[in-house]
Amino acid sequence: MKRYELHSHTNFSDGKTSIEEMVNKAYELNSAIAITDHFIGDEFGINKILYSNISSLDSFLKRRDKFSKIFDEVVFGIEITRVNPRKIPEMAMAAKKHGFIVLVHGETGGDKVPAGTNTAALNCEYVDILAHPGHLSEEDALRAKQNKIFIEITAREIHRSENPEIAKICKKFNLEMVINTDAHSADELIDYETANNVGLNAGLSEDEVWQANENAKKFFKKFI
Ligand SMILES: [Zn+2]
Ligand SMILES: [Zn+2]
């Protein structure tokens, strides 16, 4: 079965692997892939040089222009990461306007971001995916439903223990899930079988895993 990966990082931000290697590895695993490096806006103005790649959408646009001509079945997004929650709407809107997939790095215990990030993301119609949200309140679940935002079940080791609680609330509110790797190197990408195990360990059935992959597939195809 073919997989659709909607969350991955390269050495453009903090990943270890070049985009070429990531894409080739995904192909090997029978996976289509979205490259979604971290986007921090101008929050870190003082580190402008260090973060110049990931603080301006221009650099993301240039890279997409270059690589979308080279690769088939690769789409591009950004992951809004560790910003003031009040900035999320404007950053998400700007990225969406340019046709990027918009993820927000959620409030996982494994890699902390400001409190209020989940709520700000789920209130925003321009956000597509809330990544590793950690704890999701019932109010947040209703926001996700209203704005049709996917909730992520993650294969990433530092966040994985939170999956069962997230899956449970998604099922209770009938939210749409996606299973992502959040891979920061090519060896963290996975095939369908491994994603299936991640889903089963989160308390999903095989049908629910299949549905999550279908959600990703349908969404992915809008960007090709
Ligand atoms: Zn990262
Ligand atoms: Zn990520």
Side-chain angles (χ1 to χ4, degrees):
M1 183 96 71
K2 184 167 184 168
R3 254 201 97 230
Y4 288 81
E5 171 63 57
L6 296 177
H7 185 176
S8 73
H9 299 278
T10 69
N11 59 9
F12 184 76
S13 61
D14 63 349
K16 293 187 185 76
T17 307
S18 71
I19 185 168
E20 290 91 344
E21 282 176 80
M22 287 298 273
V23 172
N24 286 326
K25 181 72 185 181
Y27 289 169
E28 233 175 79
L29 295 165
N30 193 20
S31 175
I33 186 169
I35 304 291
T36 60
D37 277 297
H38 297 287
F39 177 44
I40 59 170
D42 57 7
E43 284 284 295
F44 294 85
I46 196 162
N47 289 322
K48 224 31 225 199
I49 295 164
L50 193 58
Y51 291 112
S52 61
N53 268 346
I54 58 174
S55 60
S56 102
L57 273 180
D58 271 3
S59 57
F60 283 87
L61 281 164
K62 278 193 197 116
R63 195 170 66 136
R64 182 180 63 188
D65 284 350
K66 178 175 170 197
F67 287 106
S68 56
K69 286 186 196 106
I70 300 174
F71 303 126
D72 293 328
E73 293 218 293
V74 175
V75 297
F76 291 83
I78 51 100
E79 182 184 18
I80 297 172
T81 304
R82 214 169 289 116
V83 303
N84 183 329
R86 281 197 306 262
K87 291 233 174 182
I88 289 175
E90 64 184 82
M91 289 170 73
M93 186 172 74
K96 185 49 68 181
K97 204 177 82 190
H98 289 293
F100 288 107
I101 295 172
V102 179
L103 288 84
V104 173
H105 183 305
E107 292 178 54
T108 171
D111 184 7
K112 291 234 160 94
V113 297
T117 294
N118 284 355
T119 299
L122 295 171
N123 268 332
C124 180
E125 60 182 311
Y126 303 109
V127 171
D128 299 308
I129 299 168
L130 181 60
H132 40 63
H135 175 72
L136 262 192
S137 69
E138 302 214 332
E139 291 78 11
D140 282 340
L142 290 169
R143 291 182 179 104
K145 181 125 199 120
Q146 194 173 12
N147 286 317
K148 296 190 170 61
I149 294 170
F150 293 122
I151 303 298
E152 182 183 82
I153 301 296
T154 183
R156 193 159 169 76
E157 213 173 317
I158 50 167
H159 311 308
R160 218 157 42 191
S161 63
E162 297 166 347
N163 283 341
E165 189 198 326
I166 295 163
K168 199 167 156 192
I169 193 158
C170 285
K171 290 210 258 187
K172 181 171 176 189
F173 286 86
N174 206 14
L175 305 182
E176 298 203 298
M177 289 173 264
V178 289
I179 299 175
N180 288 328
T181 61
D182 191 4
H184 281 66
S185 62
D187 60 9
E188 290 173 355
L189 291 170
I190 60 177
D191 62 7
Y192 187 90
E193 207 41 49
T194 309
N196 189 47
N197 287 331
V198 169
L200 297 182
N201 286 329
L204 304 186
S205 66
E206 297 217 346
D207 280 353
E208 286 165 335
V209 170
W210 180 85
Q211 186 58 59
N213 194 52
E214 282 297 299
N215 292 341
K217 177 181 175 180
K218 239 187 253 161
F219 180 72
F220 187 97
K221 295 206 177 246
K222 293 186 197 167
F223 292 85
I224 279 278

